[in-house]
Structures are given as structure tokens and as C-alpha cells.
Amino acid sequence: MLGSLVNNQLIGKINTNQLMSLGLGVSILGAITMSIGMTNLWMLLGSILVIFIGLNILLPIVLSHALLGFEDVIGTASGLFSFGYYILISLLTFLMSLMHNGSIFVLPVYILIVVGGMVLSLIVVCKN
């Protein structure tokens, strides 16, 4: 809810690329904080909260732009989008299964990899 509130407050004040960058920055901050405070339960939970706040700032914008220009074929476009989304989630889950070694310290590395991929995607999209 906090990510959504931040998103709603800032959506008219800054452009969407800056808002997406803010969401990614907050998620990266949460992942770094998680890697530092893994032995403290409250620090771990707080950093997970920060990661999700960042993602909840980012995702509504991404999803609202995902199907722009496909209004005339919205059923097919949304079906293909959902298919791609679930394929990506499956691949990310498989990646985590390969990385998992029984230690909780793999989680912040995994989150940094995923958010890093999101940053690279944002850079590519913003250049185009």
C-alpha cells in the first residue's frame, strides 16, 4: 500500500522514467540492506518490506504501459503478455533453485540479480 501511495503522489510530479528509477533504487537499497543485516530478523523483514515498496512503486507503471498500442487486440495481447509473464516467473524460480545452497545469504544476491536485470531493461527501454 505504501508503494502505491508513493506512486499516486508522485505520478503527476515527475515523469514515469524517474518514477520507475525511484522504484528500482528503493528495491536495490532494500537488497543491499538485506545483505548487510541478514542475521537480524527485524532488519531482514524491514529490508524485504523496502524491496516490495520499491517494486510496488515500479510495477503499476510498467503494467499500465505494457499493452499500450494493442487496444484493438487486447484479448490476444493480454493473453500473450500473461504467458510471457508466467514463463519469466518460471525461469526466475528455476534460477533460484540453481543458486540455492541452503543459506539465506543467497536471497539478497538473487534479488540484486533480478533488480539488476530490471535496471538494464529500463536503460534499454529509455534509450529507445
Side-chain angles (χ1 to χ4, degrees), residues 44-123:
L44 176 67
L45 293 175
S47 60
I48 291 172
L49 177 67
V50 170
I51 291 167
F52 279 105
I53 288 171
L55 292 177
N56 283 318
I57 292 171
L58 171 74
L59 287 177
I61 299 165
V62 171
L63 294 176
S64 71
H65 286 63
L67 296 175
L68 288 177
F70 294 98
E71 290 83 7
D72 55 333
V73 289
I74 196 70
T76 303
S78 64
L80 289 172
F81 179 80
S82 297
F83 175 72
Y85 171 80
Y86 286 112
I87 292 294
L88 181 63
I89 294 299
S90 298
L91 289 173
L92 290 172
T93 304
F94 178 70
L95 175 65
M96 185 58 186
S97 74
L98 293 177
M99 293 176 62
H100 185 66
N101 62 5
S103 170
I104 189 115
F105 293 104
V106 175
L107 183 61
V109 172
Y110 174 76
I111 291 172
L112 283 172
I113 290 170
V114 171
V115 173
M118 294 168 79
V119 169
L120 289 175
S121 298
L122 180 63
I123 291 170

Side-chain angles (χ1 to χ4, degrees), residues 7 10-11 14-28 54-55 57-65 115 118-119 121-123 125-126:
N7 192 354
L10 295 178
I11 194 74
I14 62 176
N15 70 41
T16 55
N17 290 341
Q18 291 172 322
L19 197 52
M20 288 188 288
S21 297
L22 173 68
L24 288 172
V26 169
S27 292
I28 289 171
L55 292 177
I57 292 171
L58 171 74
L59 287 177
I61 299 165
V62 171
L63 294 176
S64 71
H65 286 63
V115 173
M118 294 168 79
V119 169
S121 298
L122 180 63
I123 291 170
V125 167
C126 288

